[in-house]
């Protein structure tokens, strides 16, 4: 099988992880990397001696007969870079968020379609084994009716200058919510604070309302004393905590629940029935989510299939982020989202219906 020829633009914070994966994948050949900073390129050459070509001009990639280009640059550069890559005939994997507004995301989707190219967004947690097991529990009905989901994504830093903490951290949890529930949010309310005087929110809280009255809440912070990456799903039958920082028992299933029971012999007050069962930790075979994502990108190119996290998937996340921004400006007032549903089919996202 011929290897797919890959170029990577951006080798700052996240780019090195993508470079490592594409170097190690047997179905890919990393041909060249690009970055504006020569010191970043030199560092990659020292770390990965396999790299033989580098450039500070990303357009040099267009002359090398590449199959695909990976864009791992700051979000404000995505629209220009991805547009040029698609129009030059390359499939593109771009890091989250796809763009900083929905209009530009829609533009990239249309450009990809016009050029017959695959556009994939790096929502890595949708390729996480623990998240996929959690989705199986929800879809199977094991947890019962879902009441709410709570997500915490916090640590000390890294502070950003072009986007607030919710734009930086919340895309992960928004994409997880969409994936787990198979629905997009109906409305969102958000509040945040600029705690250190940078002009942008360094801590933020967002509550998303989904169909069937399901609430999903995000706490995002660059000012937390410890690193936390935790999602709690509460259902009518069971509850689950997924802790991505936990090295071994990433998922714990709590056989606990409560139901309201009307007692007809009283004054109409509700009584509650509680049940307490075992705490179980399913076996999870470790597989690097980013490796799964990169493999999926290569497979979609070979088979001509739509990625699970395609352009529409990225667009839906950006729409929620825009609504969060509007709610922040309106001091937490709820903002209604467009009535567009994600159609999850066979593990992938189809065009909105």
């Amino acid at each position: 099988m011929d290897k797919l020829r890959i170029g990577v633009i951006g080798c700052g914070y996240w780019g090195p992880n993508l470079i490592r994966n594409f170097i190690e994948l047997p179905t890919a050949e990393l041909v060249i990397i690009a970055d504006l900073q020569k010191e970043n390129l030199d560092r990659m050459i020292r770390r990965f001696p396999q790299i033989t070509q580098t450039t500070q001009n990303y357009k040099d990639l267009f002359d090398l007969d590449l199959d695909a280009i990976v864009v791992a640059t700051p979000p404000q550069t995505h629209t220009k870079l991805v547009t040029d890559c698609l129009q030059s005939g390359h499939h593109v994997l771009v890091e989250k968020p796809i763009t900083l507004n929905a209009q530009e995301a829609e533009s990239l989707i249309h450009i990809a379609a016009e050029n017959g190219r695959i556009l994939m967004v790096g929502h890595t947690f949708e390729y996480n084994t623990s998240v996929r097991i959690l989705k199986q529990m929800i879809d199977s009905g094991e947890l019962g009716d879902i009441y709410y989901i709570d997500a915490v994504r916090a640590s000390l830093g890294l502070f950003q200058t072009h986007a607030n903490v919710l734009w930086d951290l919340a895309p992960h949890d928004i994409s997880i919510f969409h994936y787990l529930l198979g629905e997009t949010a109906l409305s969102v309310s958000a509040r945040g604070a600029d705690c250190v005087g940078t002009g942008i929110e360094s801590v933020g809280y967002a509550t998303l309302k989904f169909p069937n009255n399901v609430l999903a809440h995000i706490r995002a912070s660059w000012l937390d004393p410890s690193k936390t990456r935790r999602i709690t799903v509460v259902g009518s039958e069971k509850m689950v905590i997924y802790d991505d920082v936990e090295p071994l028992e990433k998922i714990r299933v709590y056989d606990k629940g409560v139901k309201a029971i009307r007692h007809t012999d009283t004054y109409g007050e509700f009584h509650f029935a509680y049940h307490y069962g075992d705490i179980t930790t399913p076996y999870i075979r470790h597989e690097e989510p980013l490796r799964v994502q990169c493999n999926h990108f290569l497979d979609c190119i070979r088979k001509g299939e739509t990625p699970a996290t395609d352009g529409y998937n990225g667009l839906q996340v950006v729409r929620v982020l825009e609504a969060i921004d509007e709610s922040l400006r309106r001091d937490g007032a709820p903002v209604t989202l467009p009535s567009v549903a994600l159609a999850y089919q066979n593990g992938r996202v189809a065009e909105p219906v």
Side-chain angles (χ1 to χ4, degrees):
M1 183 182 295
D2 292 336
K3 294 184 177 182
L4 293 173
R5 292 168 57 84
I6 307 296
V8 175
I9 303 175
C11 49
Y13 172 68
W14 192 243
N17 296 311
L18 289 156
I19 289 169
R20 170 180 56 82
N21 272 281
F22 282 109
I23 285 177
E24 294 176 353
L25 285 170
T27 56
E29 176 189 356
L30 183 65
V31 177
I32 186 172
I33 61 174
D35 196 285
L36 290 174
Q37 305 299 321
K38 187 177 185 301
E39 55 267 32
N40 288 345
L41 297 172
D42 292 341
R43 187 174 66 252
M44 290 299 97
I45 291 173
R46 290 193 298 270
R47 180 175 173 184
F48 304 109
Q50 305 94 324
I51 297 173
T52 60
Q53 295 188 72
T54 66
T55 180
Q56 291 177 264
N57 183 354
Y58 73 92
K59 291 186 178 180
D60 290 342
L61 276 64
F62 303 160
D63 301 322
L64 295 176
D65 192 30
L66 302 177
D67 295 293
I69 295 175
V70 179
V71 177
T73 58
Q76 65 270 20
T77 68
H78 287 179
T79 301
K80 170 62 175 172
L81 291 175
V82 175
T83 296
D84 288 350
C85 292
L86 291 170
Q87 290 181 337
S88 66
H90 297 89
H91 304 288
V92 175
L93 166 60
V94 59
E95 271 310 304
K96 63 83 187 171
I98 181 173
T99 60
L100 292 180
N101 64 70
Q103 184 177 358
E104 291 179 356
E106 291 171 352
S107 174
L108 294 184
I109 292 169
H110 293 148
I111 292 170
E114 290 170 358
N115 289 273
R117 300 294 90 182
I118 287 171
L119 174 60
M120 178 172 164
V121 184
H123 290 151
T124 310
F125 277 90
E126 294 194 34
Y127 302 93
N128 184 296
T129 304
S130 299
V131 175
R132 291 186 167 188
I133 289 174
L134 185 52
K135 180 172 176 58
Q136 290 171 7
M137 292 179 182
I138 292 173
D139 289 349
S140 70
E142 179 181 351
L143 307 185
D145 296 329
I146 302 304
Y147 290 154
Y148 73 89
I149 305 177
D150 183 82
V152 180
R153 194 167 297 270
S155 59
L156 189 59
L158 299 164
F159 279 78
Q160 305 295 318
T161 58
H162 296 284
N164 64 39
V165 67
L166 287 163
W167 271 91
D168 181 40
L169 299 180
H172 292 304
D173 296 308
I174 296 168
S175 70
I176 291 172
F177 294 162
H178 287 169
Y179 175 68
L180 292 179
L181 298 173
E183 304 273 7
T184 52
L186 301 175
S187 64
V188 62
S189 177
R191 289 181 180 271
D194 170 18
C195 299
V196 294
T198 60
I200 58 176
E201 291 82 2
S202 52
V203 60
Y205 302 84
T207 301
L208 286 64
K209 184 175 182 179
F210 284 85
N212 301 313
N213 204 34
V214 175
L215 292 181
H217 185 261
I218 301 170
R219 177 169 76 87
S221 174
W222 292 326
L223 283 170
D224 221 62
S226 61
K227 182 176 181 178
T228 305
R229 302 286 187 267
R230 185 178 63 244
I231 290 180
T232 303
V233 180
V234 175
S236 59
E237 300 297 328
K238 294 182 180 179
M239 308 173 185
V240 180
I241 293 179
Y242 157 52
D243 188 344
D244 194 60
V245 177
E246 167 63 42
L248 296 176
E249 298 178 346
K250 289 189 177 295
I251 286 185
R252 293 187 179 184
V253 183
Y254 295 77
D255 187 12
K256 296 182 178 182
V258 58
K259 293 182 179 179
I261 302 174
R262 184 176 292 279
H263 198 290
T264 56
D265 295 331
T266 67
Y267 293 103
E269 295 179 347
F270 278 100
H271 290 254
F272 297 91
Y274 297 86
H275 77 265
Y276 302 90
D278 294 333
I279 300 173
T280 58
T281 56
Y283 169 73
I284 298 174
R285 183 172 63 88
H286 175 72
E287 195 170 11
E288 184 183 0
L290 187 59
R291 179 66 57 90
V292 177
Q293 174 188 291
C294 293
N295 250 326
H296 181 60
F297 180 54
L298 298 174
D299 286 343
C300 288
I301 293 173
R302 291 190 180 280
K303 299 174 183 178
E305 296 180 349
T306 301
T309 52
D310 64 356
Y312 288 106
N313 181 287
L315 169 62
Q316 295 298 338
V317 171
V318 170
R319 281 177 171 154
V320 174
L321 290 167
E322 284 189 319
I324 285 174
D325 270 354
E326 183 178 347
S327 182
L328 287 172
R329 291 192 299 269
R330 295 168 54 185
D331 197 27
V335 175
T336 301
L337 286 151
S339 180
V340 181
L342 283 179
Y344 279 88
Q345 299 174 350
N346 301 321
R348 70 175 183 85
V349 183
E351 182 172 344
V353 295

